[in-house]
Amino acid sequence: MQQTVGFVGLGNMGKGMARNIRQAGFPLVVYDVQPEPVAELVQTGARAVETLVDLGTAVDTVVIMVRDLPQIQAILWGPEGLAAALKPGATVIVSSTISPSQARELAQTLTEHGLIYVDAPVSGGKARADEGTLTIMVGADPDVFAAQRPLLETMCQSLYHCGPVGAGQAAKMCNQLMAGVTLAASAECLALAAAAGVDRRLIFDIVTHSTGDCWMLRNRAIQMIEGGRTNSRLDFFLKDLGIVLDSAEELHLPLLVAAAARQWYLIGVASGYGAEDDVALVWPMEQFTGAKVKAE
Amino acid sequence: MQQTVGFVGLGNMGKGMARNIRQAGFPLVVYDVQPEPVAELVQTGARAVETLVDLGTAVDTVVIMVRDLPQIQAILWGPEGLAAALKPGATVIVSSTISPSQARELAQTLTEHGLIYVDAPVSGGKARADEGTLTIMVGADPDVFAAQRPLLETMCQSLYHCGPVGAGQAAKMCNQLMAGVTLAASAECLALAAAAGVDRRLIFDIVTHSTGDCWMLRNRAIQMIEGGRTNSRLDFFLKDLGIVLDSAEELHLPLLVAAAARQWYLIGVASGYGAEDDVALVWPMEQFTGAKVKAE
């Protein structure tokens, strides 16, 4: 018999992920504080509930896709929280990005309550969440991974079992280190080109065909030069690189480059650009030099 | 009538570049302080000379591919130097990586001596130098670029005319910023994976298929994990990121990430790894954590 799935957090990424679960045929119960995305999911055949307790008593597995650890904790342990309402043996899948040690702590507490925890952070952004072509990095016991595989596959193109709980977040953290650094470096590169008076589109062409090539330059330079949306907030990298650096500190690993990159995101947030698209990172650099990366 | 070409600096990159010029049919005169590469070029039909004066009087154009600005200056202006020996109107092509402002100063002095200067730094490493598939970034007046195009094309797959003298070095500098940062970030990423206890080959697979992907991770991670040569010295990035940071300082552009990356190269050089392959950058990180990136 097919499990009933709950989904909490129908935001930028979560709405598309929930839609793909529903469209694959899973009975789906959804909860969000915003009424609009809930109404959209109801259109696809999902059932909406008013409280987390109603959701918890109705489902076998719940996917949580909210901003950060404090939101996850409020959902699980808050007054009228989810953890107390879930059936014994139910599974909690956390797709938010948190640190590996935070994931292990959540798993331990949920295990003490007779619940199962799965680490399942994602990569790919809103467009791939909508398409169901995310990358999902799972930390879970092998039998738990096997049991949840059909559900997870409805949301992704690439599914990696990275090890026990915490290993999924560790993999995500390694990617966010690279992504956050390469985006900041791409902004530095284009700001340097602008300040040096060389054509930024030519530099884009040269570097993406040379040893400096990276995904972020290929997928962010055009928005920096010509404008256009990325659907990824600048302040998310401040948070994700914070997880990278906190985890590295626990492990006694100095990360000079990731630490420096995080300062650019802090400069962006301090300049009031936290809720802007992540390419706003280049704006303070333009202000320093007076040379514009953005084409007139 | 085809021009006679001189080549000074038959090192790691220069030997292959000179061989490709000769194999394209240009009369070639070569000079190097090491006898072995000179003997190899003579086998392909190049003529060897004992002094830079002999080279200068014999050629219409000379390509210089040596380590740094002090070597270029010694070749051009040293006792028995090249500049005084070259014919009026001869062209000096500098393929070494120097800063844009250094290139403009060289060009100005050579112009005062009735000589023509071309900025032509390259990207691609030894393998592509040998194959004749480098990227060359040219800074020169349009008519000078047009005149030297057939010669430059013998060494490269991609030829970019970036603007006047200095623009070729500016483009190279933008690429070296990205290359130096992404290599350092790749080392941080794999060291973090090792310290966090997740499989480095799995992380390599995940990140190269996600938003953190970059050329350096794709082309250096395997050597960091399994060993193997890259044929690119660690201390070259210390020099190239020095050019990036000096130029950015002239332009009043703070580069937090490039500056932090350069510290890893300095840590590598200070640890005695300057002449090692550039992947040795990860060795001090391994020493900090005690976790090995290199597979046992």
Side-chain angles (χ1 to χ4, degrees):
Chain A
M1 213 184 75
Q2 203 166 38
Q3 61 175 342
T4 296
V5 178
F7 204 105
V8 179
L10 302 169
N12 196 35
M13 302 282 293
K15 194 169 71 175
M17 292 164 68
R19 196 188 303 114
N20 287 313
I21 293 170
R22 177 66 203 117
Q23 284 173 352
F26 283 93
L28 184 68
V29 183
V30 298
Y31 176 87
D32 197 282
V33 290
Q34 300 291 329
E36 298 83 0
V38 171
E40 276 188 61
L41 264 294
V42 167
Q43 295 280 322
T44 69
R47 181 158 79 83
V49 289
E50 295 288 316
T51 70
L52 288 165
V53 171
D54 289 342
L55 187 136
T57 53
V59 305
D60 305 296
T61 295
V62 58
V63 180
I64 299 178
M65 185 55 171
V66 293
R67 181 168 304 182
D68 53 20
L69 184 68
Q71 289 193 356
I72 295 168
Q73 288 171 324
I75 287 162
L76 287 173
W77 319 115
E80 312 287 310
L82 192 59
L86 284 162
K87 304 170 197 167
T91 301
V92 176
I93 299 177
V94 171
S95 286
S96 312
T97 296
I98 58 177
S99 81
S101 54
Q102 289 165 347
R104 284 188 292 264
E105 278 172 38
L106 281 177
Q108 192 179 340
T109 316
L110 288 171
T111 303
E112 287 162 9
H113 283 70
L115 299 168
I116 296 166
Y117 183 89
V118 175
D119 218 15
V122 306
S123 175
K126 177 178 164 50
R128 287 172 55 193
D130 289 346
E131 288 165 9
T133 58
L134 291 168
T135 295
I136 305 187
M137 293 150 274
V138 181
D141 292 338
D143 58 329
V144 173
F145 175 70
Q148 296 301 337
R149 187 172 193 132
L151 171 60
L152 294 166
E153 280 176 343
T154 66
M155 299 180 274
C156 68
Q157 185 168 59
S158 303
L159 183 62
Y160 294 96
H161 184 213
C162 303
V165 168
Q169 294 292 354
K172 169 83 190 226
M173 170 174 88
C174 289
N175 185 66
Q176 292 311 89
L177 184 163
M178 291 303 297
V181 167
T182 50
L183 175 56
S186 298
E188 288 190 355
C189 174
L190 293 177
L192 181 61
V198 286
D199 186 82
R200 284 90 70 211
R201 288 185 187 86
L202 180 67
I203 293 300
F204 171 75
D205 192 26
I206 292 173
V207 179
T208 54
H209 290 86
S210 301
T211 55
D213 179 47
C214 64
W215 189 95
M216 277 291 173
L217 189 66
R218 270 178 276 131
N219 287 274
R220 291 293 184 269
I222 296 305
Q223 289 90 336
M224 290 185 192
I225 297 170
E226 296 178 3
R229 301 305 307 270
T230 70
N231 285 305
S232 178
R233 283 168 61 114
L234 189 148
D235 59 5
F236 282 6
F237 271 118
L238 185 68
K239 167 188 164 258
D240 286 5
L241 287 175
I243 290 171
V244 166
L245 293 167
D246 288 348
S247 298
E249 184 164 338
E250 288 170 21
L251 298 163
H252 282 193
L253 175 63
L255 294 178
L256 306 184
V257 176
R262 189 167 189 267
Q263 295 300 306
W264 276 127
Y265 295 97
L266 186 54
I267 289 170
V269 169
S271 302
Y273 309 144
E276 300 281 352
D277 280 3
D278 52 17
V279 291
L281 189 70
V282 80
W283 299 350
M285 300 183 198
E286 292 177 316
Q287 289 154 11
F288 284 128
T289 63
K292 290 284 165 227
V293 169
K294 185 123 189 284
E296 296 305 317
Chain B
M1 215 183 75
Q2 203 168 37
Q3 61 174 341
T4 297
V5 177
F7 205 104
V8 178
L10 302 170
N12 196 34
M13 302 283 291
K15 193 169 73 175
M17 293 164 69
R19 196 188 302 114
N20 286 312
I21 294 171
R22 178 66 204 114
Q23 284 173 354
F26 283 93
L28 184 68
V29 183
V30 297
Y31 176 87
D32 197 282
V33 291
Q34 300 291 330
E36 297 84 359
V38 171
E40 276 189 60
L41 263 295
V42 167
Q43 295 280 321
T44 70
R47 181 158 79 84
V49 288
E50 294 289 316
T51 70
L52 289 165
V53 171
D54 290 341
L55 188 138
T57 52
V59 304
D60 304 297
T61 295
V62 57
V63 181
I64 299 178
M65 186 55 172
V66 294
R67 180 169 303 182
D68 52 20
L69 184 66
Q71 288 193 357
I72 296 168
Q73 287 170 324
I75 287 162
L76 288 174
W77 320 116
E80 311 287 311
L82 192 58
L86 284 163
K87 302 169 197 169
T91 300
V92 176
I93 299 177
V94 171
S95 285
S96 312
T97 296
I98 58 177
S99 81
S101 54
Q102 289 166 347
R104 285 189 291 266
E105 279 172 38
L106 280 177
Q108 192 179 340
T109 315
L110 288 171
T111 302
E112 288 163 8
H113 282 71
L115 300 169
I116 296 166
Y117 183 89
V118 175
D119 219 16
V122 305
S123 175
K126 177 178 164 48
R128 286 172 56 194
D130 289 347
E131 288 166 6
T133 58
L134 291 167
T135 295
I136 304 187
M137 293 149 273
V138 181
D141 292 338
D143 58 329
V144 173
F145 175 70
Q148 296 301 337
R149 189 173 190 130
L151 171 60
L152 294 166
E153 281 177 341
T154 66
M155 299 180 274
C156 68
Q157 185 166 60
S158 304
L159 183 63
Y160 294 96
H161 184 212
C162 302
V165 168
Q169 294 292 354
K172 169 82 191 233
M173 169 174 89
C174 289
N175 184 68
Q176 292 311 89
L177 185 163
M178 293 302 298
V181 167
T182 50
L183 175 57
S186 297
E188 287 190 356
C189 173
L190 293 177
L192 181 61
V198 286
D199 185 83
R200 285 91 68 211
R201 288 185 188 84
L202 179 67
I203 293 300
F204 171 76
D205 192 27
I206 292 172
V207 179
T208 54
H209 290 86
S210 301
T211 54
D213 179 46
C214 63
W215 189 96
M216 277 291 173
L217 189 66
R218 271 179 274 130
N219 287 274
R220 292 292 186 269
I222 297 306
Q223 287 91 336
M224 289 184 191
I225 297 169
E226 297 179 2
R229 303 303 307 268
T230 71
N231 286 307
S232 177
R233 284 168 60 115
L234 189 148
D235 58 6
F236 282 7
F237 271 117
L238 185 67
K239 168 189 163 254
D240 286 5
L241 287 174
I243 290 170
V244 166
L245 293 165
D246 288 347
S247 298
E249 185 165 338
E250 288 170 20
L251 297 163
H252 282 194
L253 175 63
L255 293 179
L256 307 183
V257 176
R262 189 166 190 268
Q263 295 300 307
W264 277 127
Y265 295 97
L266 186 54
I267 289 169
V269 169
S271 302
Y273 308 145
E276 300 281 350
D277 279 3
D278 52 16
V279 291
L281 189 70
V282 80
W283 298 351
M285 301 184 197
E286 292 177 315
Q287 290 155 11
F288 284 128
T289 63
K292 290 282 163 230
V293 169
K294 184 121 192 284
E296 299 303 318

